[in-house]
Amino acid sequence: MTVEGDQGGATPWFLAGGGEMGRRMRAFDWAATPISGPETWPEGLRTLVALMLDSRHGMFIAWGPSLIWMCNDAFMPILADKGPGALGAPTAQVWADAWPTVGPLFDQVLRGEAQRFEDLPVPLVRDGETVEAFFNFSYNPVRDGSGTVGGVYGVVTETTDKVRAISALGSQREQFARLFDQAPSFMAMLSGPEHRIDLANPAYMKLVGHRPVLGLTVEQALPEAVAQGFVGLLDRVYQTGEAFVASNAEIGLQHEPGGPIDQRRLDFVYQPIRDADGQVSGIFLEGVDVTERAVLEQRRLALVELGDRIRDFEDPDELAFAAAEILGRTLNVSRAGYGVIDKQAETITIARDWNAPGIQSLAGVLQFRDYGTYIEDLKAGRTVVIEDAHLDPRSADTAAALKAISAQAFVNMPVTEAGDFVALLYLNHAEARPWSEEELALVREVADRTRAATERRRVETELRNLAATLEEQVEARTAELRQNEEALRQAQKMEAVGQLTGGLAHDFNNLLAAVSGNLELLEMRLRDGRLNGLGRYIDNAQGAARRAAALTQRLLAFSRRQTLDPRPTDVNRLIGGMEDLIRRSVGPDIEVEIVGAAGLWAARIDPSQLENSLLNLCINARDAMAPDGGRITIETANTWLDQRAAAERDLLPGQYLSICITDTGSGMTPEVIARAFDPFFTTKPLGEGTGLGLSMVYGFARQSGGQVRIYSEVGQGTTMCLYLPRFHGEAEVVRGPEMEAPGHGDGETVLVIDDEPAIRALIVEVLRDSGYRPLEAADGPEGLKILATGARVDLLITDVGLPGGMNGRQVADAARVDRPDLKVLFITGYAENAAVGNGHLAPGMEVMTKPFAMAALGNRIRDLIERQRG
């Protein structure tokens, strides 16, 4: 029988169906294969081919001596990437990767033995990698017309996905079983309304004392749980289908049937389990034993409360009672309290008692003999633990005594001791049972802390009493030291005065001799009418007066009571202007080198005082290099002082400019450096120095917010460095001495207040000669009367130190109440800082220090009045 073929020719009936594989088999050139064309195939093969092509199950046929391969569409997914070249090829070639596994099976089928396997693993190459695939299949022999087996017919289903899924599920089950067994929390599976225990992990078995519980109901396995209500909870969960969660629940469990009940604390959950229909079929139980955690929390809270009591306690008895109360509540004992042991009277007095209803007094005094053999431990301060007071064999008297205060299991712990007394902390259970290590540890810690706190308070009290006594002793000793210190200060003062008078008397006598001698010569020449050369005597007298003024300035600088006139100053320019003076002062044997830093910062200092300081340091350097001479180097620099460098120089961190004078002289020893700034200290021969030069330099530097330091080695020379704070701004031009003629006024009124008539007369004469109208007063009250008249006053000139109960600053302040714009010029011989505001003058006020040149006074008056006009 034939049908119309794909190409219009006749097609055998058995190749008529089959979808894609049927089409390919009809178009295949079978004549080129060992099995020839389909028309030669035996009838049985034709029938199987037709069945194969029409089947939806994966089927194949391997026919002939070479087992030529053919299959249907349903088998193509199994072929995968082998499909394109498989049709008409030998089966061993098509399945070369699997042939070691399936080849022997084909041999058995060709011998007439059908084969059937499920989930057979077969190694296959897929996508370039060898993988293990699994198959269900049956291999059956195919016979020709003579009954000879000529091929193999197979039905195949790949089960790889199923096998892997089952394997994965098995692994998950094994993993779950391991987790179930190894879980730190206890777990159990209960089934049915009777709550039969089907599964329980080792943690659950440990909780119930490893009793045989599997297969039993909860009621049968754990009868103690029934009375505590846990079976009722299980019933409710099973009936309602709602989970139950408990936290820190207390439960009593037996470690073995009939054994003692052990109280435990549990966190747990009862979770209902539902079947496929949604009905509750069992309960999953899971939880953790938190007994130790609860005990630790109780212990922590007890110690926190005890710590609060310790901070506030005053009476040791109250603290002992508080400790008993805290322990009684925490350990849930039937009775707690404290007593007192009197070692001399050999008695124990139960002082105070605490129990659940509250505080009660427990009267009674026990004799030592009542405590039997325990009393020696108590007297020695050792803890006594009695597990069963009534059955203890050591002392019947002890049992009777403890029974009298309802004691069963008992703990005695000494907590305080003073002389012959020991406060005794006691606890007892209502029922005799062993004390756990945790309970005893808490008792010991509370007792130790109570004892330590009481001892600390005792020591503090003794220290307070000792401190009070010491304070009296210290006050007496301090008074004695003050007296000695005052006596020493007076002796030092007298010694300093002696040193001062020794040096100053010499200097001032020389200066006074020069002044008086030149004035006498001037007087003699004038009397004789000899007027030639009089200027020489005047210059000599004025020079001596100026040197006397400089010596006074040294004294003021040393006392740090000098009023400075700080101005923004260009230090390099100031030093340059002094160069000739310095060279003349140090003499021709000394080489002077000045190294000025480029871009040197300005400093806000008193220029004249800086000049005096530099000249003083250069003269000291000259003397250090006598008689052979040497070199003086004056060097300026900008300096940043960090925290460490500033601390070394006793300054605040910040920006400073330094002026260093270095000589090549003999240097200083450490002992000399340590005393160099001390007043009246000098290394010069007697009569050649007052010892005030470096004191003046030091006073000027500190008053200016800076510092002076000495760097020296014996035989290597000395460097004296001045550190002055930087001024952020422009420096003023340094002026020379004010020697020009005084300026003239225009009839302005100037009030002069000075208690020295000669000085007042000089100032008034200068004012008249300069075109001003002077008014004068001898003290402050007289000057204020003139101001009170309302007379015109353009400028007030007042001495700082005045008689009459008012100093110059007080007069100026009073005058400015009604005349706030009044200009004031203070003149002073000692520059009392307190009178002019600690060295800081208010706007419109200036100061001049006596002695001063009359021309300088006139110029200062002119400047102040011109500013008044402006």
PDB file of all heavy atoms in Angstrom, residues 429-453:
ATOM      1  N   HIS A 429      15.004  30.047 103.885  1.00  0.00           N
ATOM      2  CA  HIS A 429      13.896  29.569 103.061  1.00  0.00           C
ATOM      3  C   HIS A 429      12.793  29.025 103.955  1.00  0.00           C
ATOM      4  O   HIS A 429      13.046  28.488 105.041  1.00  0.00           O
ATOM      5  CB  HIS A 429      14.372  28.448 102.128  1.00  0.00           C
ATOM      6  CG  HIS A 429      15.255  28.925 101.020  1.00  0.00           C
ATOM      7  ND1 HIS A 429      14.833  29.827 100.088  1.00  0.00           N
ATOM      8  CD2 HIS A 429      16.533  28.604 100.691  1.00  0.00           C
ATOM      9  CE1 HIS A 429      15.811  30.059  99.231  1.00  0.00           C
ATOM     10  NE2 HIS A 429      16.863  29.326  99.578  1.00  0.00           N
ATOM     11  N   ALA A 430      11.573  29.120 103.447  1.00  0.00           N
ATOM     12  CA  ALA A 430      10.452  28.528 104.192  1.00  0.00           C
ATOM     13  C   ALA A 430      10.537  27.011 104.184  1.00  0.00           C
ATOM     14  O   ALA A 430      10.116  26.351 105.122  1.00  0.00           O
ATOM     15  CB  ALA A 430       9.119  28.989 103.594  1.00  0.00           C
ATOM     16  N   GLU A 431      11.089  26.446 103.094  1.00  0.00           N
ATOM     17  CA  GLU A 431      11.258  25.004 102.998  1.00  0.00           C
ATOM     18  C   GLU A 431      12.732  24.691 102.831  1.00  0.00           C
ATOM     19  O   GLU A 431      13.450  25.387 102.124  1.00  0.00           O
ATOM     20  CB  GLU A 431      10.473  24.440 101.805  1.00  0.00           C
ATOM     21  CG  GLU A 431       8.969  24.654 101.919  1.00  0.00           C
ATOM     22  CD  GLU A 431       8.238  24.092 100.721  1.00  0.00           C
ATOM     23  OE1 GLU A 431       8.921  23.549  99.843  1.00  0.00           O
ATOM     24  OE2 GLU A 431       7.011  24.208 100.683  1.00  0.00           O
ATOM     25  N   ALA A 432      13.153  23.639 103.473  1.00  0.00           N
ATOM     26  CA  ALA A 432      14.570  23.275 103.378  1.00  0.00           C
ATOM     27  C   ALA A 432      14.878  22.818 101.957  1.00  0.00           C
ATOM     28  O   ALA A 432      14.251  21.903 101.441  1.00  0.00           O
ATOM     29  CB  ALA A 432      14.882  22.161 104.375  1.00  0.00           C
ATOM     30  N   ARG A 433      15.792  23.431 101.325  1.00  0.00           N
ATOM     31  CA  ARG A 433      16.303  23.020 100.022  1.00  0.00           C
ATOM     32  C   ARG A 433      17.711  23.577  99.868  1.00  0.00           C
ATOM     33  O   ARG A 433      18.068  24.575 100.488  1.00  0.00           O
ATOM     34  CB  ARG A 433      15.407  23.517  98.895  1.00  0.00           C
ATOM     35  CG  ARG A 433      15.388  25.026  98.681  1.00  0.00           C
ATOM     36  CD  ARG A 433      14.677  25.370  97.392  1.00  0.00           C
ATOM     37  NE  ARG A 433      14.528  26.802  97.197  1.00  0.00           N
ATOM     38  CZ  ARG A 433      15.472  27.592  96.691  1.00  0.00           C
ATOM     39  NH1 ARG A 433      16.659  27.078  96.350  1.00  0.00           N
ATOM     40  NH2 ARG A 433      15.269  28.885  96.520  1.00  0.00           N
ATOM     41  N   PRO A 434      18.511  22.945  99.044  1.00  0.00           N
ATOM     42  CA  PRO A 434      19.891  23.438  98.892  1.00  0.00           C
ATOM     43  C   PRO A 434      19.910  24.843  98.284  1.00  0.00           C
ATOM     44  O   PRO A 434      19.084  25.188  97.452  1.00  0.00           O
ATOM     45  CB  PRO A 434      20.524  22.409  97.933  1.00  0.00           C
ATOM     46  CG  PRO A 434      19.642  21.206  97.989  1.00  0.00           C
ATOM     47  CD  PRO A 434      18.261  21.709  98.275  1.00  0.00           C
ATOM     48  N   TRP A 435      20.864  25.629  98.739  1.00  0.00           N
ATOM     49  CA  TRP A 435      21.091  26.932  98.128  1.00  0.00           C
ATOM     50  C   TRP A 435      21.884  26.732  96.842  1.00  0.00           C
ATOM     51  O   TRP A 435      22.903  26.044  96.829  1.00  0.00           O
ATOM     52  CB  TRP A 435      21.885  27.846  99.065  1.00  0.00           C
ATOM     53  CG  TRP A 435      21.087  28.288 100.260  1.00  0.00           C
ATOM     54  CD1 TRP A 435      20.882  27.595 101.405  1.00  0.00           C
ATOM     55  CD2 TRP A 435      20.388  29.518 100.387  1.00  0.00           C
ATOM     56  NE1 TRP A 435      20.098  28.312 102.265  1.00  0.00           N
ATOM     57  CE2 TRP A 435      19.772  29.503 101.663  1.00  0.00           C
ATOM     58  CE3 TRP A 435      20.211  30.634  99.580  1.00  0.00           C
ATOM     59  CZ2 TRP A 435      19.009  30.549 102.142  1.00  0.00           C
ATOM     60  CZ3 TRP A 435      19.456  31.679 100.050  1.00  0.00           C
ATOM     61  CH2 TRP A 435      18.851  31.634 101.312  1.00  0.00           C
ATOM     62  N   SER A 436      21.418  27.346  95.744  1.00  0.00           N
ATOM     63  CA  SER A 436      22.147  27.223  94.476  1.00  0.00           C
ATOM     64  C   SER A 436      23.410  28.085  94.528  1.00  0.00           C
ATOM     65  O   SER A 436      23.522  29.015  95.326  1.00  0.00           O
ATOM     66  CB  SER A 436      21.270  27.665  93.309  1.00  0.00           C
ATOM     67  OG  SER A 436      21.056  29.068  93.347  1.00  0.00           O
ATOM     68  N   GLU A 437      24.353  27.765  93.640  1.00  0.00           N
ATOM     69  CA  GLU A 437      25.586  28.548  93.580  1.00  0.00           C
ATOM     70  C   GLU A 437      25.292  29.995  93.209  1.00  0.00           C
ATOM     71  O   GLU A 437      25.955  30.921  93.681  1.00  0.00           O
ATOM     72  CB  GLU A 437      26.557  27.924  92.581  1.00  0.00           C
ATOM     73  CG  GLU A 437      27.215  26.645  93.066  1.00  0.00           C
ATOM     74  CD  GLU A 437      28.020  26.858  94.347  1.00  0.00           C
ATOM     75  OE1 GLU A 437      28.663  27.930  94.455  1.00  0.00           O
ATOM     76  OE2 GLU A 437      27.979  25.989  95.221  1.00  0.00           O
ATOM     77  N   GLU A 438      24.278  30.184  92.318  1.00  0.00           N
ATOM     78  CA  GLU A 438      23.926  31.540  91.929  1.00  0.00           C
ATOM     79  C   GLU A 438      23.405  32.329  93.115  1.00  0.00           C
ATOM     80  O   GLU A 438      23.747  33.515  93.310  1.00  0.00           O
ATOM     81  CB  GLU A 438      22.878  31.531  90.806  1.00  0.00           C
ATOM     82  CG  GLU A 438      23.380  30.992  89.471  1.00  0.00           C
ATOM     83  CD  GLU A 438      23.365  29.487  89.420  1.00  0.00           C
ATOM     84  OE1 GLU A 438      22.876  28.862  90.404  1.00  0.00           O
ATOM     85  OE2 GLU A 438      23.849  28.929  88.417  1.00  0.00           O
ATOM     86  N   GLU A 439      22.557  31.694  93.949  1.00  0.00           N
ATOM     87  CA  GLU A 439      22.012  32.384  95.118  1.00  0.00           C
ATOM     88  C   GLU A 439      23.113  32.741  96.110  1.00  0.00           C
ATOM     89  O   GLU A 439      23.187  33.865  96.620  1.00  0.00           O
ATOM     90  CB  GLU A 439      20.954  31.503  95.790  1.00  0.00           C
ATOM     91  CG  GLU A 439      19.679  31.360  94.979  1.00  0.00           C
ATOM     92  CD  GLU A 439      18.717  30.355  95.592  1.00  0.00           C
ATOM     93  OE1 GLU A 439      19.184  29.320  96.102  1.00  0.00           O
ATOM     94  OE2 GLU A 439      17.512  30.619  95.568  1.00  0.00           O
ATOM     95  N   LEU A 440      23.986  31.768  96.383  1.00  0.00           N
ATOM     96  CA  LEU A 440      25.062  32.034  97.331  1.00  0.00           C
ATOM     97  C   LEU A 440      26.011  33.098  96.798  1.00  0.00           C
ATOM     98  O   LEU A 440      26.527  33.928  97.561  1.00  0.00           O
ATOM     99  CB  LEU A 440      25.828  30.740  97.617  1.00  0.00           C
ATOM    100  CG  LEU A 440      25.054  29.700  98.450  1.00  0.00           C
ATOM    101  CD1 LEU A 440      25.875  28.432  98.596  1.00  0.00           C
ATOM    102  CD2 LEU A 440      24.708  30.254  99.818  1.00  0.00           C
ATOM    103  N   ALA A 441      26.254  33.095  95.478  1.00  0.00           N
ATOM    104  CA  ALA A 441      27.134  34.114  94.897  1.00  0.00           C
ATOM    105  C   ALA A 441      26.538  35.505  95.079  1.00  0.00           C
ATOM    106  O   ALA A 441      27.252  36.473  95.379  1.00  0.00           O
ATOM    107  CB  ALA A 441      27.369  33.823  93.414  1.00  0.00           C
ATOM    108  N   LEU A 442      25.211  35.615  94.901  1.00  0.00           N
ATOM    109  CA  LEU A 442      24.566  36.918  95.088  1.00  0.00           C
ATOM    110  C   LEU A 442      24.643  37.344  96.551  1.00  0.00           C
ATOM    111  O   LEU A 442      24.923  38.514  96.857  1.00  0.00           O
ATOM    112  CB  LEU A 442      23.111  36.836  94.628  1.00  0.00           C
ATOM    113  CG  LEU A 442      22.284  38.116  94.820  1.00  0.00           C
ATOM    114  CD1 LEU A 442      22.920  39.280  94.083  1.00  0.00           C
ATOM    115  CD2 LEU A 442      20.847  37.904  94.353  1.00  0.00           C
ATOM    116  N   VAL A 443      24.395  36.408  97.469  1.00  0.00           N
ATOM    117  CA  VAL A 443      24.472  36.745  98.892  1.00  0.00           C
ATOM    118  C   VAL A 443      25.871  37.241  99.240  1.00  0.00           C
ATOM    119  O   VAL A 443      26.038  38.263  99.922  1.00  0.00           O
ATOM    120  CB  VAL A 443      24.103  35.514  99.749  1.00  0.00           C
ATOM    121  CG1 VAL A 443      24.363  35.815 101.229  1.00  0.00           C
ATOM    122  CG2 VAL A 443      22.651  35.146  99.546  1.00  0.00           C
ATOM    123  N   ARG A 444      26.887  36.528  98.741  1.00  0.00           N
ATOM    124  CA  ARG A 444      28.261  36.932  99.058  1.00  0.00           C
ATOM    125  C   ARG A 444      28.572  38.318  98.491  1.00  0.00           C
ATOM    126  O   ARG A 444      29.219  39.140  99.152  1.00  0.00           O
ATOM    127  CB  ARG A 444      29.239  35.896  98.496  1.00  0.00           C
ATOM    128  CG  ARG A 444      29.197  34.552  99.217  1.00  0.00           C
ATOM    129  CD  ARG A 444      30.325  33.652  98.777  1.00  0.00           C
ATOM    130  NE  ARG A 444      30.243  32.350  99.415  1.00  0.00           N
ATOM    131  CZ  ARG A 444      29.695  31.275  98.852  1.00  0.00           C
ATOM    132  NH1 ARG A 444      29.223  31.359  97.618  1.00  0.00           N
ATOM    133  NH2 ARG A 444      29.654  30.138  99.488  1.00  0.00           N
ATOM    134  N   GLU A 445      28.124  38.575  97.252  1.00  0.00           N
ATOM    135  CA  GLU A 445      28.440  39.869  96.644  1.00  0.00           C
ATOM    136  C   GLU A 445      27.738  41.003  97.379  1.00  0.00           C
ATOM    137  O   GLU A 445      28.339  42.058  97.623  1.00  0.00           O
ATOM    138  CB  GLU A 445      28.052  39.869  95.170  1.00  0.00           C
ATOM    139  CG  GLU A 445      28.466  41.142  94.451  1.00  0.00           C
ATOM    140  CD  GLU A 445      28.492  40.997  92.949  1.00  0.00           C
ATOM    141  OE1 GLU A 445      28.122  39.924  92.445  1.00  0.00           O
ATOM    142  OE2 GLU A 445      28.871  41.969  92.276  1.00  0.00           O
ATOM    143  N   VAL A 446      26.472  40.806  97.736  1.00  0.00           N
ATOM    144  CA  VAL A 446      25.758  41.844  98.489  1.00  0.00           C
ATOM    145  C   VAL A 446      26.433  42.082  99.838  1.00  0.00           C
ATOM    146  O   VAL A 446      26.645  43.227 100.259  1.00  0.00           O
ATOM    147  CB  VAL A 446      24.279  41.449  98.665  1.00  0.00           C
ATOM    148  CG1 VAL A 446      23.599  42.374  99.673  1.00  0.00           C
ATOM    149  CG2 VAL A 446      23.553  41.505  97.327  1.00  0.00           C
ATOM    150  N   ALA A 447      26.801  40.995 100.502  1.00  0.00           N
ATOM    151  CA  ALA A 447      27.451  41.141 101.803  1.00  0.00           C
ATOM    152  C   ALA A 447      28.797  41.848 101.666  1.00  0.00           C
ATOM    153  O   ALA A 447      29.140  42.737 102.455  1.00  0.00           O
ATOM    154  CB  ALA A 447      27.631  39.769 102.451  1.00  0.00           C
ATOM    155  N   ASP A 448      29.568  41.463 100.641  1.00  0.00           N
ATOM    156  CA  ASP A 448      30.887  42.093 100.450  1.00  0.00           C
ATOM    157  C   ASP A 448      30.752  43.581 100.165  1.00  0.00           C
ATOM    158  O   ASP A 448      31.504  44.412 100.699  1.00  0.00           O
ATOM    159  CB  ASP A 448      31.629  41.399  99.296  1.00  0.00           C
ATOM    160  CG  ASP A 448      32.085  39.992  99.660  1.00  0.00           C
ATOM    161  OD1 ASP A 448      32.089  39.686 100.864  1.00  0.00           O
ATOM    162  OD2 ASP A 448      32.427  39.219  98.746  1.00  0.00           O
ATOM    163  N   ARG A 449      29.795  43.942  99.299  1.00  0.00           N
ATOM    164  CA  ARG A 449      29.617  45.363  98.978  1.00  0.00           C
ATOM    165  C   ARG A 449      29.137  46.147 100.195  1.00  0.00           C
ATOM    166  O   ARG A 449      29.558  47.291 100.417  1.00  0.00           O
ATOM    167  CB  ARG A 449      28.627  45.526  97.826  1.00  0.00           C
ATOM    168  CG  ARG A 449      29.143  45.009  96.491  1.00  0.00           C
ATOM    169  CD  ARG A 449      28.275  45.488  95.359  1.00  0.00           C
ATOM    170  NE  ARG A 449      28.744  44.980  94.072  1.00  0.00           N
ATOM    171  CZ  ARG A 449      28.300  45.410  92.888  1.00  0.00           C
ATOM    172  NH1 ARG A 449      27.370  46.342  92.850  1.00  0.00           N
ATOM    173  NH2 ARG A 449      28.764  44.902  91.775  1.00  0.00           N
ATOM    174  N   THR A 450      28.232  45.543 100.967  1.00  0.00           N
ATOM    175  CA  THR A 450      27.739  46.217 102.166  1.00  0.00           C
ATOM    176  C   THR A 450      28.866  46.419 103.165  1.00  0.00           C
ATOM    177  O   THR A 450      29.032  47.501 103.751  1.00  0.00           O
ATOM    178  CB  THR A 450      26.602  45.400 102.809  1.00  0.00           C
ATOM    179  OG1 THR A 450      25.590  45.155 101.818  1.00  0.00           O
ATOM    180  CG2 THR A 450      25.997  46.131 103.982  1.00  0.00           C
ATOM    181  N   ARG A 451      29.674  45.366 103.325  1.00  0.00           N
ATOM    182  CA  ARG A 451      30.803  45.453 104.256  1.00  0.00           C
ATOM    183  C   ARG A 451      31.803  46.518 103.790  1.00  0.00           C
ATOM    184  O   ARG A 451      32.292  47.330 104.582  1.00  0.00           O
ATOM    185  CB  ARG A 451      31.469  44.090 104.371  1.00  0.00           C
ATOM    186  CG  ARG A 451      32.630  44.057 105.351  1.00  0.00           C
ATOM    187  CD  ARG A 451      33.004  42.639 105.757  1.00  0.00           C
ATOM    188  NE  ARG A 451      33.176  41.765 104.622  1.00  0.00           N
ATOM    189  CZ  ARG A 451      32.399  40.709 104.359  1.00  0.00           C
ATOM    190  NH1 ARG A 451      31.406  40.418 105.174  1.00  0.00           N
ATOM    191  NH2 ARG A 451      32.626  39.940 103.309  1.00  0.00           N
ATOM    192  N   ALA A 452      32.092  46.525 102.471  1.00  0.00           N
ATOM    193  CA  ALA A 452      33.055  47.491 101.935  1.00  0.00           C
ATOM    194  C   ALA A 452      32.543  48.923 102.084  1.00  0.00           C
ATOM    195  O   ALA A 452      33.297  49.843 102.426  1.00  0.00           O
ATOM    196  CB  ALA A 452      33.344  47.180 100.464  1.00  0.00           C
ATOM    197  N   ALA A 453      31.238  49.123 101.835  1.00  0.00           N
ATOM    198  CA  ALA A 453      30.664  50.468 101.952  1.00  0.00           C
ATOM    199  C   ALA A 453      30.716  50.958 103.392  1.00  0.00           C
ATOM    200  O   ALA A 453      31.039  52.118 103.665  1.00  0.00           O
ATOM    201  CB  ALA A 453      29.230  50.476 101.435  1.00  0.00           C
TER     202      ALA A 453
END
